[in-house]
Amino acid sequence: MNVAEGIKRFCETEWPKHVAENESDIATIKAFHNRQFDGDRLALLGEWLRSYQVFQGLDGRQRKALARNLVYFYDSKRRNRIRSTAHLLSEFHELESSLREGAMLVTKRGLPRKIESLASKALWCCYPFDVPILDSFAENALRVIARSLGLSIGASDSRYEQFVGLWFKLYETVQPQIIEFAMSNSAYPIRVFDRYLWWLGRTSYDGLVVV
């Protein structure tokens, strides 16, 4: 599997389908990161989270609590970049706990609800240059690529930690190519690669051969 060629194909044929979504990402992050924003940051952020299907199965109170806790989390931070993988995972687990407790995200049996994907999308809002978004399509695409390239899948109790480990191993091999494209298309490099993996995982499920 030639990853560089796959990225090239995605950027040429599929990226135009993501332009509107990318513009929404940029506008939302710009407003969310502006603590002096004169609009409703909670409403804006809530709409973005809804568009990414984060709110499935949640009632109105829980949705508001999620957006509010995310704003509190971001506003409590003084850094705007992630320093290391360890820092990324620490921030992830902190936010994951905050979101779950603040919105009382539990199953009908009273057990903690799994919110790794939700938390990764929320954390990306805080660090858009540094945080990979966990998605089942992207996750499966990563595993297929890793096996084909002989990359080891590290053992971990954390689904997100395992995902991030593989994600960065692969990203490093195509980072210059991704950054060049992102700079010329007003996009976050992280999201270009995220969307490539999502596309790859989805099209693989449709029975298409993707290089």
Side-chain angles (χ1 to χ4, degrees):
M1 179 178 293
N2 188 325
V3 180
E5 283 300 316
I7 293 286
K8 183 175 183 232
R9 174 180 168 184
F10 168 78
C11 291
E12 291 175 347
T13 66
E14 298 298 318
W15 180 259
K17 302 174 185 177
H18 296 272
V19 170
E21 187 180 52
N22 180 63
E23 290 174 349
S24 174
D25 286 351
I26 292 172
T28 299
I29 296 304
K30 183 178 180 179
F32 175 51
H33 285 206
N34 180 7
R35 294 179 175 89
Q36 306 304 318
F37 180 59
D38 58 6
D40 190 336
R41 289 170 79 205
L42 279 176
L44 184 70
L45 186 60
E47 178 57 28
W48 185 87
L49 292 170
R50 184 202 61 76
S51 73
Y52 274 78
Q53 302 181 345
V54 164
F55 288 152
Q56 289 184 347
L58 304 181
D59 60 30
R61 181 194 58 77
Q62 290 174 311
R63 295 179 182 192
K64 289 180 181 178
L66 274 178
R68 185 171 57 250
N69 276 34
L70 179 52
V71 170
Y72 289 162
F73 177 86
Y74 176 75
D75 286 352
S76 72
K77 302 298 176 177
R78 291 294 176 265
R79 295 179 181 271
N80 58 9
R81 293 299 300 268
I82 292 292
R83 302 188 304 275
S84 64
T85 301
H87 182 207
L88 167 60
L89 294 173
S90 174
E91 293 289 277
F92 173 80
H93 291 302
E94 180 184 343
L95 179 57
E96 183 183 31
S97 296
S98 174
L99 295 179
R100 179 181 286 115
E101 294 170 6
M104 294 191 292
L105 300 178
V106 296
T107 66
K108 292 181 179 179
R109 295 183 179 182
L111 300 174
R113 174 176 167 173
K114 293 181 179 180
I115 60 167
E116 294 99 333
S117 180
L118 184 162
S120 70
K121 291 171 183 175
L123 189 62
W124 179 81
C125 288
C126 302
Y127 303 106
F129 286 99
D130 304 300
V131 176
I133 289 180
L134 175 61
D135 172 89
S136 59
F137 286 142
E139 189 174 33
N140 286 316
L142 265 183
R143 289 179 177 276
V144 170
I145 295 172
R147 284 196 295 268
S148 71
L149 297 178
L151 297 176
S152 61
I153 301 176
S156 172
D157 292 333
S158 166
R159 178 187 174 194
Y160 188 64
E161 184 172 346
Q162 190 174 80
F163 174 79
V164 164
L166 273 179
W167 196 99
F168 279 112
K169 279 183 181 179
L170 188 59
Y171 181 67
E172 288 171 0
T173 68
V174 291
Q175 187 174 14
Q177 179 184 1
I178 293 285
I179 290 176
E180 181 180 2
F181 176 81
M183 289 180 65
S184 62
N185 286 272
S186 300
Y188 294 105
I190 287 276
R191 292 298 288 130
V192 174
F193 194 54
D194 274 340
R195 288 188 170 104
Y196 162 69
L197 291 173
W198 177 86
W199 167 74
L200 184 62
R202 188 194 62 169
T203 51
S204 295
Y205 280 132
D206 290 341
L208 300 177
V209 176
V210 182
V211 296

